[in-house]
Amino acid sequence: MKSFFPEKFLILIVDDNLNNLQILRVILEAEGYKTTVANNGQDAINRVRVNKPDLILIALIMSPISGLELCDHLKFPLPLTTSPIILIRTIHEQEHLIEAFEKGVADTIIYPFNPAEILARVRTHLELKQTRYQLKQLVKEHEKLMNMLRKLASTDPLTGLWNRRHVLSVGYQEFHRACRYKRSLSVLMIDIDNFKQINDAYGHTMGDEILKGVAKSIVGSLREADYCGRFGGEEFVTLLPETDSAGAVRVAERLRRRLEQITIGIGDQHVQMTVTVGVASYQSDDSNIEVIIQRANQALYQAKSQGYNRVGLIG
């Protein structure tokens, strides 16, 4: 745990006995703590809202609102503070202890005051609060790291699209949904035309920019319910739930036309590219999503055999 610095903590002291307020303030400020005081419950509630103290000392016997009633206001039903509360009592006021702990009190101190005991109890509860906060931060950092790792495991680092493994995973889910509910499902296999020649002519940096530009254009042509991933090299796969073959061809044509109109450049070098798209749709005798993807791949190569920058359909 990090070092403990009293000056970083603000303590609220609540008591209608002004002498007690002054004694506690002197004890705490001599140790380095910052303090603020309230001599009634309503003032204490206002200070909690405004000052957000790190710890609160509350006298058990006060009027018109007692210390236990004030605890109710601070902790229930929605807490105004999560800071620890220490109750100030006399040695004879023990009958309310269980009720006090039920109301969220963390500890008690006894009047007449023992400065060493007060400082020890205050520090203990502030250190516990500090430790809980640090643990929460560690949990948040752990969750952030796990989310990052999950993203790295499921996305293509260059384009930011889903990677092959994740597309297949989602594809199996959509395939089973199409089978169970007799719904439509289509797949687009998208390939950048003459990508090797572009790489050879302009270099891999330009090639990477083209891959990112194509990925962005594909995503911009799809619905929120659709999925797109980089399948490898210059190939992209798009899953279109609730889309039959006619609808999938329309999507593919819209995408093809969009891509042939864009130019991607680095410095004074600019490249226009085209794509060829293979389309395949779910059929009742298909055994899994990979069968549909394979048909889309066949449609892609049939289209390429007839020339580039076109859409081919199988099934």
Side-chain angles (χ1 to χ4, degrees):
M1 189 178 68
K2 293 181 179 179
S3 299
F4 184 82
F5 300 103
E7 62 272 15
K8 291 188 175 181
F9 298 100
L10 174 66
I11 298 175
L12 169 62
I13 310 166
V14 188
D15 199 328
D16 58 1
N17 184 315
L18 298 183
N19 186 54
N20 287 350
L21 285 180
Q22 184 61 27
I23 293 171
L24 289 170
R25 195 164 200 176
V26 168
I27 292 170
L28 294 168
E29 290 184 355
E31 188 69 10
Y33 295 107
K34 293 177 289 185
T35 65
T36 184
V37 299
N39 58 18
N40 62 74
Q42 188 56 57
D43 189 21
I45 291 170
N46 293 336
R47 289 185 182 276
V48 167
R49 287 195 175 112
V50 175
N51 301 126
K52 298 181 174 27
D54 299 293
L55 183 142
I56 308 171
L57 296 171
I58 300 176
L60 174 61
I61 304 302
M62 291 192 303
S63 62
I65 299 176
S66 73
L68 293 181
E69 290 173 328
L70 178 56
C71 289
D72 273 336
H73 285 291
L74 295 179
K75 294 294 186 180
F76 303 102
L78 294 177
L80 292 178
T81 180
T82 58
S83 296
I85 295 175
I86 298 178
L87 204 63
I88 306 166
R89 65 182 180 88
T90 69
I91 195 169
H92 304 293
E93 295 167 344
Q94 299 184 37
E95 67 273 17
H96 300 296
L97 286 182
I98 292 181
E99 183 184 359
F101 291 130
E102 289 175 346
K103 292 179 182 296
V105 170
D107 204 347
T108 68
I109 57 174
I110 296 174
Y111 178 85
F113 301 128
N114 180 327
E117 179 187 359
I118 291 172
L119 293 175
R121 291 180 184 274
V122 165
R123 174 165 179 157
T124 294
H125 289 288
L126 286 173
E127 285 182 331
L128 285 172
K129 180 184 179 182
Q130 183 172 277
T131 300
R132 285 194 295 269
Y133 174 78
Q134 291 168 357
L135 287 174
K136 285 181 181 179
Q137 294 303 112
L138 287 174
V139 169
K140 287 181 181 179
E141 288 298 318
H142 176 74
E143 290 175 350
K144 183 178 178 181
L145 178 61
M146 292 304 296
N147 288 335
M148 186 182 302
L149 291 174
R150 280 191 286 268
K151 183 176 181 180
L152 289 173
S154 59
T155 57
D156 171 60
L158 177 64
T159 63
L161 298 179
W162 300 122
N163 60 22
R164 182 188 186 107
R165 183 176 65 178
H166 188 75
V167 169
L168 287 174
S169 175
V170 173
Y172 272 99
Q173 296 175 26
E174 291 298 331
F175 176 82
H176 290 307
R177 193 169 70 88
C179 291
R180 177 176 298 178
Y181 300 109
K182 310 301 180 186
R183 311 298 295 179
S184 298
L185 172 65
S186 294
V187 171
L188 306 184
M189 179 69 77
I190 305 160
D191 187 81
I192 302 174
D193 297 329
N194 300 311
F195 186 70
K196 184 179 183 304
Q197 289 90 325
I198 294 174
N199 258 339
D200 291 343
Y202 296 95
H204 291 284
T205 300
M206 177 67 82
D208 288 348
E209 290 301 312
I210 289 173
L211 289 169
K212 290 188 284 188
V214 169
K216 183 177 179 180
S217 292
I218 293 174
V219 171
S221 300
L222 302 177
R223 307 165 301 180
E224 287 188 11
D226 300 330
Y227 301 89
C228 180
R230 186 180 177 193
F231 220 56
E234 67 271 25
E235 287 187 333
F236 300 85
V237 167
T238 296
L239 306 175
L240 306 176
E242 304 290 342
T243 307
D244 60 16
S245 57
V249 168
R250 287 195 295 271
V251 173
E253 281 290 353
R254 182 172 68 244
L255 173 62
R256 182 194 64 78
R257 289 194 299 270
R258 178 173 182 165
L259 282 167
E260 73 178 354
Q261 294 171 4
I262 67 172
T263 299
I264 295 176
I266 298 177
D268 58 355
Q269 292 184 321
H270 295 82
V271 177
Q272 284 187 293
M273 89 295 300
T274 60
V275 297
T276 299
V277 186
V279 181
S281 298
Y282 165 70
Q283 297 175 354
S284 58
D285 58 347
D286 288 333
S287 57
N288 56 56
I289 188 64
E290 293 183 69
V291 172
I292 308 176
I293 292 174
Q294 183 57 40
R295 282 207 309 278
N297 200 48
Q298 292 172 0
L300 170 68
Y301 281 98
Q302 284 186 16
K304 278 185 173 290
S305 68
Q306 300 168 17
Y308 295 108
N309 192 20
R310 62 182 64 226
V311 173
L313 169 67
I314 293 181

Coordinates of all heavy atoms in Angstrom, one line a residue, residues 218-268:
I218 N -16.3 -0.8 -46.2 CA -17.2 -1.9 -46.0 C -18.1 -1.7 -44.8 O -19.3 -1.8 -44.9 CB -16.4 -3.2 -45.8 CG1 -15.7 -3.6 -47.1 CG2 -17.4 -4.4 -45.5 CD1 -14.7 -4.8 -47.0
V219 N -17.5 -1.3 -43.7 CA -18.3 -1.1 -42.5 C -19.3 0.0 -42.8 O -20.5 -0.1 -42.3 CB -17.4 -0.7 -41.3 CG1 -18.2 -0.2 -40.1 CG2 -16.5 -1.9 -41.0
G220 N -19.0 1.1 -43.5 CA -19.9 2.1 -43.8 C -21.0 1.8 -44.7 O -22.0 2.5 -44.8
S221 N -20.9 0.6 -45.3 CA -22.0 0.1 -46.3 C -22.9 -0.8 -45.6 O -23.9 -1.3 -46.2 CB -21.4 -0.5 -47.5 OG -20.5 0.4 -48.2
L222 N -22.7 -1.2 -44.3 CA -23.4 -2.3 -43.7 C -24.4 -1.7 -42.6 O -24.3 -0.6 -42.2 CB -22.5 -3.3 -43.0 CG -21.5 -3.9 -44.0 CD1 -20.5 -4.8 -43.2 CD2 -22.2 -4.7 -45.0
R223 N -25.3 -2.6 -42.2 CA -26.2 -2.3 -41.1 C -25.5 -2.6 -39.8 O -24.5 -3.3 -39.7 CB -27.5 -3.1 -41.2 CG -28.2 -3.0 -42.5 CD -29.2 -4.1 -42.6 NE -28.6 -5.4 -42.5 CZ -29.2 -6.6 -42.5 NH1 -30.6 -6.6 -42.7 NH2 -28.6 -7.7 -42.4
E224 N -26.0 -2.1 -38.7 CA -25.5 -2.4 -37.3 C -25.5 -3.9 -37.1 O -24.7 -4.5 -36.3 CB -26.2 -1.7 -36.2 CG -25.9 -0.2 -36.2 CD -26.5 0.5 -35.0 OE1 -26.9 -0.2 -34.1 OE2 -26.4 1.8 -35.0
A225 N -26.5 -4.6 -37.6 CA -26.7 -6.0 -37.3 C -25.8 -6.9 -38.1 O -25.7 -8.1 -37.9 CB -28.2 -6.4 -37.7
D226 N -25.0 -6.3 -39.1 CA -24.1 -7.1 -40.0 C -22.8 -7.2 -39.3 O -22.4 -6.4 -38.4 CB -24.0 -6.5 -41.3 CG -25.3 -6.4 -42.1 OD1 -26.2 -7.2 -41.8 OD2 -25.5 -5.4 -42.8
Y227 N -22.0 -8.2 -39.8 CA -20.7 -8.4 -39.2 C -19.7 -8.4 -40.4 O -19.9 -9.0 -41.4 CB -20.6 -9.8 -38.5 CG -21.5 -9.9 -37.3 CD1 -22.8 -10.4 -37.6 CD2 -21.1 -9.6 -36.1 CE1 -23.7 -10.6 -36.5 CE2 -22.0 -9.7 -35.0 CZ -23.3 -10.2 -35.2 OH -24.2 -10.3 -34.2
C228 N -18.5 -7.9 -40.1 CA -17.5 -7.9 -41.1 C -16.1 -8.2 -40.5 O -15.8 -7.7 -39.4 CB -17.4 -6.5 -41.9 SG -16.1 -6.5 -43.2
G229 N -15.3 -9.0 -41.2 CA -14.0 -9.3 -40.7 C -13.0 -9.5 -41.8 O -13.4 -9.7 -42.9
R230 N -11.7 -9.4 -41.4 CA -10.7 -9.6 -42.4 C -10.4 -11.1 -42.3 O -10.1 -11.6 -41.2 CB -9.4 -8.8 -42.0 CG -8.3 -8.9 -43.1 CD -7.1 -8.1 -42.7 NE -6.0 -8.3 -43.6 CZ -4.8 -7.9 -43.3 NH1 -4.5 -7.3 -42.2 NH2 -3.8 -8.1 -44.2
F231 N -10.5 -11.8 -43.4 CA -10.4 -13.2 -43.4 C -8.9 -13.7 -43.7 O -8.6 -14.8 -43.5 CB -11.3 -13.8 -44.5 CG -12.0 -15.1 -44.0 CD1 -12.7 -15.1 -42.9 CD2 -11.9 -16.2 -44.8 CE1 -13.4 -16.3 -42.4 CE2 -12.5 -17.4 -44.4 CZ -13.2 -17.4 -43.2
G232 N -8.1 -12.8 -44.2 CA -6.7 -13.1 -44.5 C -6.3 -12.3 -45.7 O -7.0 -12.2 -46.7
G233 N -5.0 -11.8 -45.7 CA -4.5 -11.1 -46.8 C -5.4 -9.9 -47.2 O -5.7 -9.1 -46.4
E234 N -5.9 -10.0 -48.4 CA -6.7 -8.9 -49.0 C -8.2 -9.3 -49.0 O -9.0 -8.7 -49.7 CB -6.3 -8.4 -50.3 CG -6.4 -9.5 -51.5 CD -5.2 -10.4 -51.6 OE1 -4.5 -10.5 -50.6 OE2 -5.0 -10.9 -52.7
E235 N -8.6 -10.4 -48.3 CA -9.9 -10.9 -48.3 C -10.7 -10.5 -47.1 O -10.2 -10.6 -46.0 CB -9.9 -12.5 -48.4 CG -9.5 -13.0 -49.8 CD -9.7 -14.5 -49.9 OE1 -9.6 -15.2 -48.9 OE2 -9.9 -15.0 -51.0
F236 N -11.9 -10.1 -47.3 CA -12.8 -9.8 -46.2 C -14.1 -10.6 -46.3 O -14.6 -10.9 -47.4 CB -13.2 -8.3 -46.3 CG -12.0 -7.4 -46.2 CD1 -11.3 -7.1 -47.4 CD2 -11.6 -6.8 -45.0 CE1 -10.2 -6.2 -47.3 CE2 -10.5 -6.0 -44.9 CZ -9.8 -5.7 -46.1
V237 N -14.7 -11.0 -45.2 CA -15.9 -11.7 -45.1 C -17.0 -10.9 -44.4 O -16.7 -10.3 -43.3 CB -15.8 -13.1 -44.5 CG1 -17.1 -13.7 -44.1 CG2 -15.0 -14.0 -45.4
T238 N -18.2 -10.8 -45.0 CA -19.3 -10.1 -44.3 C -20.4 -11.1 -44.1 O -20.8 -11.8 -45.1 CB -19.7 -8.9 -45.2 OG1 -18.6 -8.0 -45.3 CG2 -20.9 -8.2 -44.6
L239 N -21.0 -11.1 -42.9 CA -22.2 -11.9 -42.6 C -23.4 -11.0 -42.6 O -23.4 -9.9 -41.9 CB -22.0 -12.6 -41.2 CG -20.8 -13.4 -41.0 CD1 -20.7 -13.9 -39.6 CD2 -20.7 -14.6 -41.9
L240 N -24.4 -11.4 -43.3 CA -25.6 -10.5 -43.4 C -26.8 -11.3 -42.9 O -27.5 -12.0 -43.6 CB -25.9 -10.1 -44.9 CG -24.7 -9.4 -45.6 CD1 -25.1 -9.2 -47.1 CD2 -24.4 -8.1 -44.9
P241 N -27.1 -11.2 -41.6 CA -28.3 -11.9 -41.0 C -29.6 -11.3 -41.6 O -29.6 -10.2 -42.0 CB -28.2 -11.6 -39.5 CG -26.8 -11.2 -39.3 CD -26.3 -10.5 -40.5
E242 N -30.6 -12.2 -41.7 CA -31.9 -11.7 -42.2 C -31.9 -11.1 -43.6 O -32.6 -10.2 -43.9 CB -32.5 -10.7 -41.2 CG -32.6 -11.1 -39.8 CD -33.7 -12.2 -39.6 OE1 -34.6 -12.4 -40.5 OE2 -33.7 -12.9 -38.6
T243 N -30.9 -11.7 -44.4 CA -30.8 -11.2 -45.8 C -30.7 -12.3 -46.7 O -29.9 -13.2 -46.6 CB -29.5 -10.4 -45.9 OG1 -29.4 -9.4 -44.9 CG2 -29.3 -9.7 -47.2
D244 N -31.6 -12.3 -47.7 CA -31.6 -13.4 -48.7 C -30.6 -13.1 -49.8 O -30.0 -12.0 -49.8 CB -33.1 -13.6 -49.3 CG -33.6 -12.4 -50.0 OD1 -32.9 -11.4 -50.3 OD2 -34.9 -12.3 -50.2
S245 N -30.6 -13.9 -50.8 CA -29.5 -13.8 -51.9 C -29.8 -12.5 -52.7 O -28.8 -11.8 -53.0 CB -29.5 -15.0 -52.8 OG -30.8 -15.2 -53.4
A246 N -31.0 -12.1 -53.0 CA -31.3 -10.9 -53.7 C -30.8 -9.7 -52.9 O -30.2 -8.8 -53.5 CB -32.8 -10.8 -54.1
G247 N -31.2 -9.7 -51.6 CA -30.7 -8.5 -50.8 C -29.2 -8.5 -50.7 O -28.6 -7.4 -50.6
A248 N -28.6 -9.7 -50.6 CA -27.1 -9.7 -50.4 C -26.4 -9.2 -51.7 O -25.4 -8.5 -51.6 CB -26.7 -11.1 -50.2
V249 N -27.0 -9.5 -52.9 CA -26.4 -9.0 -54.1 C -26.5 -7.5 -54.2 O -25.6 -6.8 -54.6 CB -27.1 -9.6 -55.3 CG1 -26.8 -8.9 -56.6 CG2 -26.8 -11.1 -55.4
R250 N -27.7 -6.9 -53.7 CA -27.8 -5.5 -53.7 C -26.7 -4.8 -52.8 O -26.1 -3.8 -53.1 CB -29.2 -5.1 -53.2 CG -30.3 -5.3 -54.2 CD -31.6 -4.6 -53.9 NE -32.2 -5.2 -52.6 CZ -33.0 -6.2 -52.6 NH1 -33.4 -6.8 -53.7 NH2 -33.5 -6.6 -51.4
V251 N -26.5 -5.4 -51.6 CA -25.5 -4.9 -50.7 C -24.1 -5.0 -51.4 O -23.3 -4.0 -51.3 CB -25.5 -5.7 -49.4 CG1 -24.3 -5.3 -48.5 CG2 -26.8 -5.5 -48.6
A252 N -23.8 -6.1 -52.0 CA -22.5 -6.3 -52.7 C -22.3 -5.3 -53.8 O -21.2 -4.7 -53.9 CB -22.4 -7.7 -53.2
E253 N -23.4 -5.0 -54.6 CA -23.2 -4.1 -55.7 C -23.0 -2.7 -55.1 O -22.2 -1.9 -55.7 CB -24.5 -4.1 -56.5 CG -24.5 -5.3 -57.5 CD -23.5 -5.1 -58.6 OE1 -22.9 -4.1 -58.8 OE2 -23.4 -6.1 -59.4
R254 N -23.8 -2.3 -54.1 CA -23.6 -1.0 -53.5 C -22.2 -0.8 -52.9 O -21.5 0.2 -53.1 CB -24.6 -0.8 -52.3 CG -24.5 0.5 -51.7 CD -25.6 0.8 -50.7 NE -25.5 -0.1 -49.5 CZ -26.4 -1.0 -49.2 NH1 -27.4 -1.3 -49.9 NH2 -26.2 -1.8 -48.1
L255 N -21.7 -1.9 -52.3 CA -20.3 -1.8 -51.8 C -19.3 -1.8 -52.9 O -18.3 -1.0 -52.9 CB -20.0 -3.1 -51.0 CG -18.6 -3.3 -50.5 CD1 -18.2 -2.2 -49.6 CD2 -18.5 -4.7 -49.7
R256 N -19.5 -2.5 -54.0 CA -18.5 -2.5 -55.1 C -18.5 -1.2 -55.8 O -17.4 -0.6 -56.0 CB -19.0 -3.6 -56.2 CG -18.1 -3.7 -57.4 CD -18.7 -4.5 -58.5 NE -19.9 -3.8 -59.0 CZ -19.9 -2.8 -59.8 NH1 -18.7 -2.3 -60.2 NH2 -21.0 -2.2 -60.3
R257 N -19.7 -0.5 -56.0 CA -19.7 0.8 -56.6 C -19.0 1.8 -55.7 O -18.3 2.7 -56.2 CB -21.1 1.2 -56.9 CG -21.8 0.4 -58.1 CD -23.0 1.1 -58.5 NE -24.0 1.1 -57.5 CZ -24.9 0.2 -57.2 NH1 -25.0 -0.9 -57.9 NH2 -25.8 0.4 -56.2
R258 N -19.3 1.7 -54.4 CA -18.7 2.7 -53.5 C -17.2 2.6 -53.5 O -16.5 3.6 -53.5 CB -19.2 2.4 -52.1 CG -18.6 3.3 -51.0 CD -19.3 3.1 -49.6 NE -18.8 3.9 -48.6 CZ -19.4 4.2 -47.5 NH1 -20.5 3.6 -47.2 NH2 -18.8 5.0 -46.6
L259 N -16.6 1.4 -53.5 CA -15.2 1.3 -53.5 C -14.5 1.7 -54.8 O -13.4 2.2 -54.8 CB -14.8 -0.2 -53.2 CG -15.0 -0.5 -51.7 CD1 -14.9 -2.1 -51.5 CD2 -13.9 0.1 -50.9
E260 N -15.1 1.5 -55.9 CA -14.5 1.9 -57.2 C -14.4 3.4 -57.3 O -13.7 3.9 -58.2 CB -15.2 1.3 -58.4 CG -16.6 1.9 -58.7 CD -17.2 1.2 -59.9 OE1 -16.5 0.4 -60.6 OE2 -18.4 1.6 -60.2
Q261 N -15.1 4.1 -56.5 CA -15.2 5.6 -56.6 C -14.2 6.3 -55.6 O -14.0 7.5 -55.7 CB -16.6 6.1 -56.3 CG -17.6 5.7 -57.4 CD -19.0 6.0 -57.0 OE1 -19.3 6.6 -55.9 NE2 -20.0 5.6 -57.8
I262 N -13.6 5.5 -54.7 CA -12.7 6.2 -53.7 C -11.3 6.1 -54.2 O -10.9 5.2 -54.9 CB -12.9 5.6 -52.3 CG1 -12.3 4.1 -52.3 CG2 -14.3 5.6 -51.9 CD1 -12.3 3.6 -50.9
T263 N -10.5 7.1 -53.7 CA -9.0 7.1 -54.0 C -8.3 7.1 -52.6 O -8.7 7.9 -51.7 CB -8.7 8.4 -54.8 OG1 -9.4 8.3 -56.0 CG2 -7.2 8.4 -55.0
I264 N -7.3 6.3 -52.5 CA -6.5 6.3 -51.3 C -5.1 6.7 -51.6 O -4.5 6.3 -52.6 CB -6.5 4.9 -50.7 CG1 -7.9 4.5 -50.2 CG2 -5.5 4.8 -49.5 CD1 -8.1 3.1 -49.7
G265 N -4.5 7.6 -50.8 CA -3.2 8.2 -51.1 C -2.3 8.3 -49.9 O -2.8 8.5 -48.8
I266 N -1.0 8.3 -50.2 CA 0.0 8.7 -49.3 C 0.9 9.7 -50.0 O 1.5 9.4 -51.0 CB 0.8 7.4 -48.8 CG1 -0.1 6.4 -48.2 CG2 2.0 7.9 -47.9 CD1 0.7 5.1 -47.8
G267 N 1.0 10.9 -49.4 CA 1.8 11.9 -50.0 C 1.2 12.3 -51.4 O 0.0 12.6 -51.6
D268 N 2.1 12.2 -52.4 CA 1.7 12.5 -53.8 C 1.3 11.2 -54.6 O 1.0 11.3 -55.8 CB 2.7 13.2 -54.5 CG 4.1 12.5 -54.6 OD1 4.1 11.4 -54.0 OD2 5.0 12.9 -55.3

